[in-house]
């Protein structure tokens, strides 16, 4: 068994993973918008889904050191993780949409997305630590 990561190391990993998920999210959005200009809601949903799955897998293993496996475990944890993400996604979407409405350009939309994602990820960590990955007794 390895020594627990320091809070600084955990925060650094979390920031890197949030950046990876952000790039995946915005990349998926750009792909949708390239093929379907004007489909902002579809792009936001696709981007959120791609980012959510990547971030769940990274957080579960490398942030919260949760090594539990199996379809039932992943199903329950992913449900809780997604529920916590629902709260933070509303913050993200509202910020992205608000910036788009204000600036009426892709640059403004992406600036809002970056701000909303940053705020959302900070809140998401606190929610996940408290409600999703709080149980340590089952870990290997």
């Amino acid at each position: 068994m390895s020594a627990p990561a320091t809070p600084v190391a955990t925060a650094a990993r979390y920031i890197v993973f949030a950046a990876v998920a952000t790039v995946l999210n915005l990349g998926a959005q750009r792909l949708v918008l390239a093929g379907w200009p004007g489909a902002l809601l579809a792009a936001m949903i696709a981007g959120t889904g791609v980012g959510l799955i990547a971030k769940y897998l990274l957080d579960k293993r490398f942030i919260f050191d949760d090594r539990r496996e199996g379809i039932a475990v992943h199903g329950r944890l992913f449900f809780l993780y997604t529920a916590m993400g629902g709260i933070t996604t509303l913050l993200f979407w509202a910020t992205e949409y608000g910036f788009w409405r204000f600036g009426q350009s892709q640059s403004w939309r992406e600036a809002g997305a970056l701000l909303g994602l940053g705020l959302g990820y900070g809140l998401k960590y606190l929610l996940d630590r408290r409600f999703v990955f709080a149980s340590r007794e089952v870990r290997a």
Side-chain angles (χ1 to χ4, degrees), residues 56-98:
Y56 165 75
L57 294 171
L58 291 168
D59 284 355
K60 181 181 182 302
R61 175 64 180 91
F62 298 106
I63 299 299
F64 298 105
D65 194 30
D66 189 311
R67 297 171 191 244
R68 294 174 286 175
E69 294 296 332
I71 251 337
V73 169
H74 277 291
R76 185 179 67 76
L77 290 176
F78 190 72
F79 174 80
L80 291 171
Y81 189 84
T82 302
M84 297 304 113
I87 295 165
T88 60
T89 296
L90 292 176
L91 172 63
F92 156 51
W93 281 4
T95 307
E96 179 177 2
Y97 184 74

Side-chain angles (χ1 to χ4, degrees), residues 3 37-38 43 45 52 68 85 87 119:
I45 291 169
L52 176 70
R68 294 174 286 175
I87 295 165
L119 294 171

